Amino acid sequence: NSKGSGIECMTSLQQIMNHCTSMPNRVVQKYIERPLVLFSGRKFDIRQWVLVKSFEPLVVYFFSSCYLRLCNSPFDLGDLANKERHISNWEVNKHGKNVVEGAMASLSDFKRELKEITSSGTYWEDRLRPSIEQIVIQVLRSAQHRMAQSSSCFEVYGFDVMVDESLRPWLLEVNLSPACDTRTEEIARLKERMAKRLFEVVLDGKTEPDGEEPDWVCIYDETRDDNEEIQRQRSKVATRQKGDHGYATAAVLEAYNVEDDADEDEDAAPSAFAANKTAQPLPVRLEALSVVGKPLNLKKERRLEMIWRRKEAGKVLSRYGHGFMGRLKARHRRQELATRVIQRMYRGRLGRKAFQARKELLAAIQAQRHMRRHWARVQLLWKWKHFLATRIQARLRGILGRRAAYAQRQYVFSRRVQRTWRGHRVRRRLWATRLVVRWWRRCYARRGRCATVIQRLWRGVLGRRRAARLRHNVLAP
């Protein structure tokens, strides 16, 4: 697989067999069920760069710094379907929902976590790094005689190492072409330093550390003569780790054909190891020397000479090509510099124009602000006058209303008075009329009686006169 693709976590042999039926080219590995989880419970592995300068003889360099690749989600053994909980590859985690920046942690962060766990500030240098170096040497020695050796060639490998909860390192895989993407500033810094020192070690032969960290450190070199002493020191360090962590190093010692010397002073091993740590080669059992070779083949030698000549011609052409490309790049760099100067001047002119426009805009905004303030004051004054006029009108309407109500009450009272007075006057008139009528009636009754008496008296006078006349006329002859 590549970039974490094709990795599946399974729990039963039946699942593995069914999966291998569809895709037979598979590698089955035992899952590390109790890994060391850090940084909010997330699983991680260590990406370690290793330089193999030669396989025959084996020369191995170990980069003194590394970084941790983190999973996005917290570790959960019950959720095997979520790859972001179990696979720390960046290609798997970069599209997750909870992706952190770069999904990595630096070696200094890892050392702080180890200090909190073990209460030792040098646990990485004293325990974990020597164990990882042992793993690297053991893996490279196991494949040493299977690798095709080519002169003037080297290879950089990416070792992925996991640490379990008992702080025991486990090798996951060895990457032939480790990714060197610069997704964070820390990885970019490590990559730049690693590449710079890589070319100095390989091309310039500057194998000794230059005094800056991190650096390439030689941990194994078959051409050195002090392998036996270094082997004994490293074996005792491995034995001390066995006592502290409870895992056996006999297999490692047996792989190097080293016998554990119990009579040696165990307390002197760490100091001896620290004193020889600058060279750091691992031991190898030298077998009896023998002369081997093949018969001379002139045709093959001429072909190899032709290949060599072509390579040399390619180097010359490459050198001239590099010179031409360097001059071309220098010219492009000068043109780019001139372009940058022109751009800087043009940007300055545009900046001054933008600044003037900004000043005019700010002046216009200030004028608008003053105008809006003036209009706001005018509107506020108008509203205040309108409010006062409304209050005056309300008071005037109240006075007029009270006056109208007073006039209405007076009108109603006058109407009541008039009604009352008119009734009294009518009653007085009726009473006076009644009195006059009664008086006239009395007068007419008295006059009627007087008239009746006068008429009776007059009738009596007239009767008597007529009787007298009759008597006079009748009786007188």
Side-chain angles (χ1 to χ4, degrees):
N1 66 86
S2 177
K3 298 180 179 180
S5 62
I7 300 177
E8 300 291 340
C9 298
M10 301 180 184
T11 57
S12 64
L13 180 61
Q14 186 65 33
Q15 292 180 351
I16 298 175
M17 297 302 295
N18 293 337
H19 195 72
C20 293
T21 302
S22 58
M23 299 185 68
N25 296 328
R26 289 289 180 180
V27 176
V28 180
Q29 289 180 308
K30 177 66 171 67
Y31 190 86
I32 301 176
E33 299 177 355
R34 296 180 178 275
L36 178 64
V37 291
L38 302 175
F39 309 106
S40 302
R42 289 186 292 176
K43 185 180 175 182
F44 69 94
D45 62 24
I46 302 172
R47 169 55 62 90
Q48 179 65 56
W49 290 323
V50 175
L51 168 63
V52 178
K53 193 175 180 180
S54 171
F55 275 100
E56 292 292 343
L58 183 61
V59 180
V60 183
Y61 286 84
F62 189 89
F63 197 64
S64 60
S65 183
C66 59
Y67 65 92
L68 276 60
R69 303 188 305 172
L70 306 177
C71 295
N72 279 340
S73 302
F75 176 73
D76 185 5
L77 196 59
D79 185 12
L80 296 179
N82 188 359
K83 293 184 178 181
E84 296 181 9
R85 298 182 184 273
H86 306 279
I87 302 176
S88 60
N89 195 289
W90 172 243
E91 295 295 329
V92 175
N93 292 274
K94 69 179 181 179
H95 300 295
K97 295 182 179 179
N98 303 319
V99 61
V100 296
E101 183 181 359
M104 62 84 63
S106 63
L107 180 59
S108 58
D109 298 335
F110 186 42
K111 289 181 179 179
R112 284 194 294 269
E113 296 292 333
L114 290 176
K115 184 177 180 181
E116 293 181 1
I117 296 174
T118 62
S119 300
S120 175
T122 59
Y123 192 85
W124 166 258
E125 292 81 0
D126 297 341
R127 303 299 175 86
L128 275 183
R129 177 172 166 175
S131 300
I132 296 176
E133 290 177 359
Q134 289 280 351
I135 291 174
V136 170
I137 297 301
Q138 184 177 357
V139 169
L140 293 177
R141 289 197 60 188
S142 65
Q144 177 182 5
H145 302 291
R146 296 182 179 88
M147 303 297 293
Q149 175 66 30
S150 299
S151 60
S152 302
C153 293
F154 67 93
E155 187 67 53
V156 176
Y157 297 99
F159 279 70
D160 292 339
V161 181
M162 182 177 293
V163 181
D164 60 11
E165 64 180 7
S166 62
L167 301 180
R168 178 182 180 182
W170 294 83
L171 177 65
L172 295 181
E173 61 177 351
V174 181
N175 296 276
L176 182 61
S177 298
C180 294
D181 53 340
T182 56
R183 59 180 183 267
T184 62
E185 295 181 359
E186 177 67 18
I187 297 179
R189 184 184 65 83
L190 292 178
K191 185 194 73 173
E192 182 179 359
R193 174 65 178 170
M194 183 269 292
K196 177 183 177 182
R197 286 292 296 149
L198 173 68
F199 288 113
E200 290 179 356
V201 171
V202 175
L203 300 180
D204 301 337
K206 298 179 180 179
T207 58
E208 294 297 329
D210 59 356
E212 297 182 8
E213 288 293 337
D215 201 351
W216 288 105
V217 179
C218 182
I219 61 173
Y220 192 85
D221 189 354
E222 288 184 343
T223 62
R224 295 181 64 91
D225 297 332
D226 55 350
N227 285 334
E228 290 294 334
E229 182 66 22
I230 301 300
Q231 180 184 10
R232 185 176 296 106
Q233 294 164 3
R234 289 185 176 273
S235 299
K236 291 181 178 180
V237 171
T239 305
R240 178 177 294 273
Q241 292 175 359
K242 173 182 176 181
D244 291 341
H245 299 290
Y247 65 88
T249 58
V252 178
L253 299 177
E254 184 180 358
Y256 297 112
N257 297 322
V258 179
E259 296 180 358
D260 190 4
D261 189 3
D263 298 332
E264 294 290 333
D265 186 8
E266 294 184 359
D267 297 333
S271 61
F273 170 71
N276 292 275
K277 193 174 180 180
T278 56
Q280 294 192 12
L282 282 181
V284 61
R285 173 75 65 176
L286 297 178
E287 304 294 342
L289 298 178
S290 61
V291 179
V292 295
K294 294 182 180 180
L296 180 63
N297 190 341
L298 295 179
K299 184 177 180 180
K300 182 178 179 181
E301 292 296 329
R302 282 193 293 269
R303 186 170 66 251
L304 292 176
E305 183 180 4
M306 183 62 67
I307 293 174
W308 177 81
R309 290 181 180 275
R310 289 178 180 176
K311 287 183 178 180
E312 291 298 321
K315 290 180 180 178
V316 173
L317 292 176
S318 176
R319 184 166 59 252
Y320 281 103
H322 286 319
F324 172 75
M325 293 302 297
R327 291 188 296 273
L328 185 62
K329 288 182 179 179
R331 187 175 65 181
H332 288 171
R333 193 176 297 111
R334 289 193 300 269
Q335 291 177 356
E336 183 180 0
L337 181 60
T339 305
R340 288 180 180 176
V341 171
I342 295 173
Q343 289 178 352
R344 190 181 302 114
M345 295 176 63
Y346 186 68
R347 289 194 188 100
R349 186 166 174 265
L350 291 179
R352 288 189 293 273
K353 283 188 176 180
F355 179 71
Q356 186 65 27
R358 180 70 176 175
K359 286 178 61 177
E360 294 176 357
L361 178 62
L362 290 177
I365 292 174
Q366 192 71 16
Q368 290 178 358
R369 187 181 298 115
H370 285 293
M371 186 60 68
R372 290 193 186 98
R373 187 180 302 165
H374 173 69
W375 280 110
R377 291 174 180 174
V378 171
Q379 290 181 358
L380 183 62
L381 181 61
W382 181 82
K383 288 183 178 179
W384 177 250
K385 290 181 179 180
H386 178 70
F387 174 73
L388 292 179
T390 304
R391 292 290 300 272
I392 292 172
Q393 289 177 358
R395 288 180 177 272
L396 185 59
R397 289 193 186 99
I399 293 172
L400 294 178
R402 288 190 293 272
R403 289 182 179 179
Y406 181 72
Q408 183 68 22
R409 288 197 299 270
Q410 286 184 345
Y411 175 73
V412 172
F413 182 72
S414 61
R415 291 288 299 271
R416 290 180 180 177
V417 172
Q418 289 177 1
R419 191 180 300 114
T420 304
W421 177 251
R422 284 173 185 165
H424 179 69
R425 188 171 58 184
V426 169
R427 286 192 296 273
R428 286 179 64 87
R429 286 181 180 179
L430 290 176
W431 181 71
T433 304
R434 289 175 183 173
L435 289 179
V436 172
V437 169
R438 190 179 302 132
W439 182 76
W440 279 106
R441 284 178 179 173
R442 290 178 183 175
C443 289
Y444 283 132
R446 188 170 56 252
R447 288 180 182 180
R449 287 193 301 270
C450 290
T452 302
V453 172
I454 292 172
Q455 286 176 359
R456 187 169 60 246
L457 292 174
W458 180 252
R459 285 189 191 104
V461 171
L462 290 178
R464 282 188 303 270
R465 283 179 180 178
R466 189 169 41 189
R469 194 172 51 249
L470 286 173
R471 273 189 320 263
H472 180 285
N473 291 325
V474 173
L475 294 175

